[in-house]
Amino acid sequence: MAYLKQTLSSLPHCFRGTQSLFFRLVKWEGCLDADEENVNFARRDELNQTHSEEKEEQDATMTLEFNVSHQDPGYQSKAHMQGAQIKLITTWEAGWNVTNAIQGIFVLGLPYALLHSGYSGLFLIILAAMFCCYTGKILIACLYEENEDGHLIRVRDTYEDIANACCKKRFPKLGGIVVNVTQVMELIMTCILYLVVSGNLLSHSFPYLPVTEKTWSVIAFVTLLPCVFIKTLSIVSKLSLLCSLVHFIIIFIVMSYCLTQIHQWSWTRFRLSIEFEDFLVSVGVIIFSYTSQIFLPTLEGNMKNPKEFSCMLNWTHFFACLFKTAFALTAFLTWGEETKEVITDNLPASLKTLVNLCFLAKALLSYPLPFFAVTEILHTCISSSNHSDYRAPLFIVVLRGLALLFTLLMAMFIPHFALLMGLTGSVTGAAMTFLLPSLFHLKLKWGKLVFLEKCAAISLFIVGFLCSLAGIVCSIKGLIEAVGGM
């Protein structure tokens, strides 16, 4: 599985997907009670069914509550003032989306990461969950400002709005342009990766059929054509739920087999010494398997009960950390030094085919979330001219169709795709997950942050910079070696 193996070992960000936890959570006193606001692409969706008058009236009265004592009864979000064009999602649905974003392909590379990072890898899995959860919260905090009465209200909708607010004095639009370009690059690359992985998995699941890997990618592409007609984030949430369930099936199968080999386990297989370059690869795999920041402003703004967002983020990352640690630990203890880059390659032939097919289903179900996000970002940018034709349903379908076709062409014809994606992910993944949230939080909230919060944001900025630099160096080195090998 050349493409997939290279991806797992060299790509920092791609989903970027696990996560499931999304139980209806008890309110914490410090939870963010954000007034629903349709964010980014969702707010422009005019095809959704209308809310009832009773629901619309109820939603319009909801207010932001950053702390329980801070409320602004007079504030209404644009989502509610637009009335019925928005179909809000539940906390469960938001949680399934986050779970889908932080439990992706990388989970199959975690045992291999432990092989090269030893005991420090277990610590990194926990630390990465904490860091990514924190940067998600401070990013959402940047959507809010205090009014004259000291009450927090939501004044921004998207990641782009936050960037523009930070650059408005000198370059009013520069921040938004940088963020949009970064988001589009990352999301497009993610969609392409899912097609590459799908073709690879089908090829290895049915090696006796005279079908090339590229032909399998085309077959996978055909199954994704309905994505062109997805209208709402609620539909994507349901697909994310199925994706998370498939993920748990994969985890259950692999861990069940590992538990049958428990008599072979030995803690002496863990390494105390590590090689620096291999360790950097492990850091990239572990840290960037938790990233979901691109989707968070949209998810929080479209929740029926935004005050549960912070709690949802805590529990999704907690259970993701728990599952990843258990999975990586049991798999590594089972195979030790023989652990492969993709853990399914260690399984017996019969189980390998079953897991590969499950993983194929997960890849196809994961595709709609980044695809929907990137097409709506593109549509928002194009329709900013207020041209009525750009908002027509037909134009939206055509735009999505072209984007879908573009991901297929890229997946089939780009040489050394995995290495190029690793280079892109090193820049975009670190930027969207650590660098920009920390920088924006410091810029917009500096006067209100206590000393420890400032130290935390600065530290995360440094961590993000180092991870990005290390990923860029490793990816460029891999590209040079690949070109030299040709």
Side-chain angles (χ1 to χ4, degrees):
M1 305 171 88
Y3 273 125
L4 183 57
K5 290 183 178 181
Q6 288 177 328
T7 299
L8 288 168
S9 61
S10 64
L11 301 188
H13 196 290
C14 280
F15 326 115
R16 313 179 78 300
T18 26
Q19 319 149 339
S20 79
L21 336 146
F22 320 106
F23 317 115
R24 192 94 176 155
L25 304 174
V26 179
K27 303 175 184 177
W28 290 359
E29 182 173 323
C31 286
L32 188 65
D33 183 5
D35 202 353
E36 301 97 340
E37 184 155 344
N38 190 23
V39 186
N40 196 13
F41 49 86
R43 65 183 174 187
R44 297 183 181 275
D45 187 356
E46 298 178 354
L47 302 177
N48 295 341
Q49 295 181 346
T50 61
H51 291 286
S52 65
E53 292 181 0
E54 179 181 353
K55 179 63 180 174
E56 179 181 342
E57 180 179 356
Q58 176 185 354
D59 286 343
T61 61
M62 295 184 67
T63 61
L64 169 71
E65 181 182 347
F66 192 75
N67 285 315
V68 175
S69 60
H70 290 173
Q71 300 179 354
D72 182 12
Y75 176 71
Q76 294 181 8
S77 68
K78 286 184 287 186
H80 297 138
M81 289 188 290
Q82 290 175 352
Q85 296 180 357
I86 298 156
K87 187 174 182 179
L88 302 179
I89 60 176
T90 65
T91 303
W92 281 61
E93 290 174 326
W96 288 120
N97 277 301
V98 174
T99 295
N100 182 29
I102 60 177
Q103 288 278 44
I105 335 176
F106 276 111
V107 69
L108 297 182
L110 289 179
Y112 186 75
L114 287 188
L115 173 64
H116 292 288
S117 58
Y119 285 101
S120 61
L122 295 175
F123 177 72
L124 281 173
I125 292 175
I126 299 172
L127 200 62
M130 296 171 59
F131 283 176
C132 292
C133 183
Y134 180 74
T135 57
K137 291 179 181 179
I138 63 176
L139 178 65
I140 296 303
C142 291
L143 297 172
Y144 299 92
E145 295 289 350
E146 289 186 358
N147 62 9
E148 301 81 5
D149 300 324
H151 300 150
L152 286 170
I153 60 173
R154 190 171 191 194
V155 298
R156 304 177 187 100
D157 292 334
T158 65
Y159 214 139
E160 178 187 1
D161 293 339
I162 297 172
N164 285 332
C166 292
C167 303
K168 64 180 180 181
K169 290 185 178 180
R170 295 187 178 180
F171 308 100
K173 299 296 183 180
L174 179 61
I177 293 174
V178 171
V179 166
N180 277 335
V181 170
T182 303
Q183 288 185 105
V184 169
M185 288 176 61
E186 183 173 319
L187 292 169
I188 282 288
M189 284 296 187
T190 304
C191 293
I192 296 169
L193 175 64
Y194 286 137
L195 278 176
V196 172
V197 169
S198 297
N200 187 281
L201 289 170
L202 283 168
S203 176
H204 285 80
S205 297
F206 306 101
Y208 45 85
L209 294 179
V211 180
T212 65
E213 189 171 314
K214 289 184 178 181
T215 303
W216 282 121
S217 293
V218 174
I219 294 174
F221 165 81
V222 172
T223 66
L224 293 171
L225 288 177
C227 292
V228 172
F229 305 101
I230 293 178
K231 300 177 182 179
T232 69
L233 193 61
S234 179
I235 296 175
V236 178
S237 299
K238 292 178 173 60
L239 295 175
S240 294
L241 169 60
L242 294 176
C243 177
S244 298
L245 294 177
V246 172
H247 173 80
F248 291 143
I249 292 174
I250 296 172
I251 298 296
F252 176 77
I253 293 173
V254 176
M255 291 187 64
S256 296
Y257 177 81
C258 291
L259 290 175
T260 63
Q261 308 297 315
I262 195 171
H263 58 280
Q264 300 180 2
W265 289 9
S266 174
W267 286 94
T268 59
R269 296 179 175 182
F270 272 94
R271 302 169 56 182
L272 295 177
S273 60
I274 56 176
E275 296 181 9
F276 184 68
E277 186 172 330
D278 290 336
F279 178 73
L280 289 180
V281 174
S282 300
V283 171
V285 172
I286 292 171
I287 290 181
F288 293 102
S289 67
Y290 284 101
T291 54
S292 61
Q293 278 71 8
I294 284 182
F295 311 104
L296 295 186
T298 297
L299 292 176
E300 191 265 353
N302 284 275
M303 288 176 63
K304 292 180 181 178
N305 199 0
K307 65 178 177 292
E308 296 183 348
F309 176 85
S310 184
C311 296
M312 178 273 291
L313 212 59
N314 288 333
W315 284 102
T316 52
H317 283 75
F318 170 77
F319 281 104
C321 177
L322 190 65
F323 277 107
K324 287 182 179 183
T325 302
F327 175 76
L329 189 60
T330 54
F332 177 72
L333 288 175
T334 300
W335 288 289
E337 294 294 327
E338 297 178 359
T339 300
K340 303 290 181 63
E341 291 178 89
V342 182
I343 198 61
T344 54
D345 289 343
N346 286 103
L347 293 171
S350 57
L351 278 181
K352 184 189 298 185
T353 300
L354 175 61
V355 172
N356 280 346
L357 291 176
C358 290
F359 191 48
L360 169 66
K362 177 175 175 56
L364 295 177
L365 289 170
S366 296
Y367 186 96
L369 179 59
F371 176 77
F372 185 71
V374 72
T375 54
E376 293 299 336
I377 291 173
L378 291 173
H379 180 235
T380 298
C381 294
I382 295 173
S383 62
S384 60
S385 62
N386 294 322
H387 196 292
S388 59
D389 292 343
Y390 295 153
R391 297 179 181 175
L394 179 61
F395 175 79
I396 298 174
V397 171
V398 171
L399 176 65
R400 291 174 179 170
L402 291 175
L404 190 66
L405 181 61
F406 177 76
T407 60
L408 174 65
L409 295 176
M410 292 281 284
M412 294 180 66
F413 298 114
I414 290 186
H416 306 300
F417 169 77
L419 291 173
L420 288 173
M421 188 168 210
L423 179 59
T424 304
S426 296
V427 178
T428 62
M432 301 300 291
T433 304
F434 291 113
L435 296 178
L436 294 182
S438 302
L439 183 62
F440 294 161
H441 196 230
L442 289 170
K443 173 68 175 178
L444 297 175
K445 307 291 183 180
W446 179 266
K448 301 178 179 65
L449 299 179
V450 299
F451 177 74
L452 290 179
E453 290 176 322
K454 294 177 180 178
C455 290
I458 293 172
S459 299
L460 287 174
F461 182 88
I462 295 173
V463 168
F465 176 78
L466 294 177
C467 288
S468 179
L469 182 62
I472 291 172
V473 171
C474 291
S475 297
I476 292 178
K477 181 179 178 182
L479 280 171
I480 293 174
E481 291 177 350
V483 173
M486 293 180 62

